[in-house]
Amino acid sequence: NLRRDRLSLADEECARAINADFHTKPGAALLRSGRTRLTATTYAGHVVALATVNTRRYVVTTTSVYRGDTFLLVGLDATGSQMASYRPFGDTTTWVFLANRAAMRKDDGLSFLPWGITAPTATPTVAAGAAGTLTGSFGCCYTYLRKAGTNIVAESDPSPASAAQTLTAQVLSVSGLTDATDSQVTHKRLYRTLNAGGLYFVDQDVALGTTTATSSQADSALGAQADFDNAPPPLANAVAEFQGTFFLVGDAAHPDYLWYSKHFQPEAWPPANFLQIGTPQDPLLCLAPQVGLMGVFTARTKYRVSGNNASGYTYLEAVSTR
């Protein structure tokens, strides 16, 4: 129906069709001529999601994920999966992010990796080192990084903090900086407190394979404060990007939560970044980004979400329910 505005089309009408022919036989929808089988691969389970990014085709079935004909993962939750593509701030690669209640993953065409970086679990150990310039009480912690060149693209939450060490014109010797088992991690980052302080600031980056470091910088030479809100995403089955922020619904533990990431950082999910919409008895099912607002759907109704990451997001139930 091309005679009405698309926003007011009836449920049984459409204004555009892909791979359907309405004209050869009036009153019937026929498949367009010219199908070509893309692959001879037999996928395990029913195909539930498709995406083509950077000329690569991704196929998600009820239980498995494929990149073209290459099998990537089995064991997905059968309640559903969804994909979104994005290039994070500072990155040089466009990734495909897969949301599923059993596994949150990302892929760049070569590597199939966890979505987000899990924080180190080992506590670093500190001791008084050789003669130096530090006098006072100091502690440290460390994180895992993924860099693209010199740009930090993703960073984990910090490890448990070390005990405080008292120094008198000495340096701080740090050990126990364990490597990550996650292959996407490219560096570790050491954070240190100011004298008798409780906050942590950038001291230095540590190469993989190196488990010790020496901190000798004056308090005034330390860098930015550590973030404690870079958790990986919660398990969910629907994802969408809206104005540079990623959103998730379908969290089985919190069915009425709309989660959102940091701006331009789809791998950092602060635990406080969510809107509680409706009730758990009518769970959030899917997302529909538009210009200036995003639709959030439940089985019974729908909501409009607006705002931004800096000032916060708000929602309003639509006038007409579903």
Side-chain angles (χ1 to χ4, degrees):
N1 186 348
L2 302 179
R3 295 168 296 184
R4 298 179 62 183
D5 187 283
R6 294 188 184 192
L7 294 177
S8 60
L9 288 177
D11 289 343
E12 71 274 10
E13 295 177 328
C14 68
R16 184 174 68 124
I18 298 175
N19 212 33
D21 178 0
F22 295 113
H23 307 291
T24 300
K25 184 177 180 181
L30 304 178
L31 191 68
R32 291 188 194 278
S33 302
R35 285 190 299 173
T36 301
R37 186 172 183 176
L38 292 176
T39 176
T41 299
T42 300
Y43 297 117
H46 300 292
V47 174
V48 297
L50 293 168
T52 301
V53 180
N54 297 336
T55 72
R56 292 180 291 271
R57 185 178 68 258
Y58 292 88
V59 179
V60 181
T61 71
T62 48
T63 58
S64 304
V65 186
Y66 299 81
R67 184 198 308 125
D69 298 336
T70 302
F71 169 79
L72 298 176
L73 178 71
V74 70
L76 295 182
D77 185 273
T79 57
S81 302
Q82 194 169 16
M83 292 175 284
S85 62
Y86 192 71
R87 190 179 77 176
F89 181 77
D91 207 340
T92 57
T93 301
T94 298
W95 295 79
V96 173
F97 294 89
L98 169 69
N100 183 270
R101 288 178 178 174
M104 305 292 283
R105 295 289 187 269
K106 67 176 185 282
D107 187 87
D108 66 350
L110 299 173
S111 302
F112 188 63
L113 299 166
W115 179 352
I117 303 177
T118 301
T121 57
T123 303
T125 301
V126 292
T133 59
L134 296 179
T135 295
S137 178
F138 304 91
C140 71
C141 61
Y142 68 104
T143 64
Y144 293 141
L145 303 178
R146 178 169 69 85
K147 289 187 176 183
T150 59
N151 295 330
I152 296 175
V153 179
E155 183 174 12
S156 73
D157 279 338
S159 69
S162 73
Q165 175 65 47
T166 300
L167 304 177
T168 304
Q170 294 169 296
V171 297
L172 184 69
S173 293
V174 184
S175 60
L177 304 177
T178 59
D179 284 350
T181 57
D182 188 346
S183 61
Q184 68 179 302
V185 174
T186 59
H187 297 78
K188 292 171 283 192
R189 172 157 283 192
L190 178 65
Y191 290 84
R192 197 196 78 204
T193 64
L194 307 179
N195 178 21
L199 302 177
Y200 296 84
F201 300 88
V202 174
D203 185 278
Q204 60 186 281
D205 289 351
V206 180
L208 297 181
T210 301
T211 60
T212 61
T214 298
S215 177
S216 59
Q217 298 189 79
D219 287 355
S220 60
L222 297 177
Q225 185 177 328
D227 288 336
F228 285 79
D229 58 357
N230 287 332
L235 295 173
N237 62 14
V239 58
E241 181 266 326
F242 174 60
Q243 298 184 158
T245 298
F246 265 41
F247 289 81
L248 292 170
V249 296
D251 178 355
H254 304 285
D256 53 340
Y257 279 22
L258 172 66
W259 293 99
Y260 57 97
S261 71
K262 289 185 177 180
H263 201 208
F264 301 135
Q265 300 179 62
E267 301 189 61
W269 295 79
N273 275 22
F274 66 88
L275 289 177
Q276 192 169 4
I277 300 178
T279 67
Q281 290 71 36
D282 189 25
L284 308 182
L285 300 177
C286 62
L287 305 164
Q290 302 179 49
V291 177
L293 60 87
M294 182 173 61
V296 179
F297 291 79
T298 73
R300 299 174 184 172
T301 188
K302 52 188 180 289
Y303 300 87
R304 297 187 179 109
V305 175
S306 59
N308 56 67
N309 209 297
S311 59
Y313 293 95
T314 60
Y315 70 91
L316 182 67
E317 187 173 5
V319 174
S320 59
T321 57
R322 295 182 68 189

